[in-house]
Amino acid sequence: MSEPIAVNEPLSVGEVVRRKTVEVADLLREFPAGSPALLEEAQRLANEQTQGEPAAVFAGVLAKLPQPLDGETARAYGTRLLVGVKR
């Protein structure tokens, strides 16, 4: 019989990166309709969402941010980021 997983086990850096990336994607999806997707804005949000986390978490979130597509809105960019993270 296997040991039950403890509820209070610390999360791996990869799992923290995934969760923080989801937070950034959710925030982007809340931007006003028609707002352009800007990588700099996504990077700013990543910085805000990873405050207090190890530098590897911020770097990991940055690595997951794709370049916005031409004409892409912030909401569409957030949705594309979210889909990429949940795969």
Side-chain angles (χ1 to χ4, degrees):
M1 195 155 90
S2 64
E3 294 277 329
I5 297 173
V7 175
N8 294 330
E9 283 188 25
L11 298 174
S12 68
V13 171
E15 178 60 19
V16 175
V17 167
R18 189 192 70 74
R19 289 181 183 197
K20 294 297 181 179
T21 305
V22 168
E23 289 176 15
V24 170
D26 287 341
L27 289 170
L28 287 165
R29 295 173 66 207
E30 293 175 4
F31 273 50
S35 297
L38 301 172
L39 183 59
E40 295 80 13
E41 188 64 22
Q43 291 169 337
R44 183 188 65 76
L45 291 171
N47 184 45
E48 288 177 4
Q49 295 306 306
T50 58
Q51 289 297 309
E53 298 289 349
V57 172
F58 177 59
V61 174
L62 289 182
K64 291 193 173 289
L65 298 176
Q67 282 290 332
L69 302 174
D70 288 340
E72 189 171 34
T73 66
R75 287 181 176 182
Y77 180 62
T79 297
R80 186 162 60 95
L81 179 57
L82 189 61
V83 168
V85 171
K86 292 200 172 188
R87 275 194 223 162

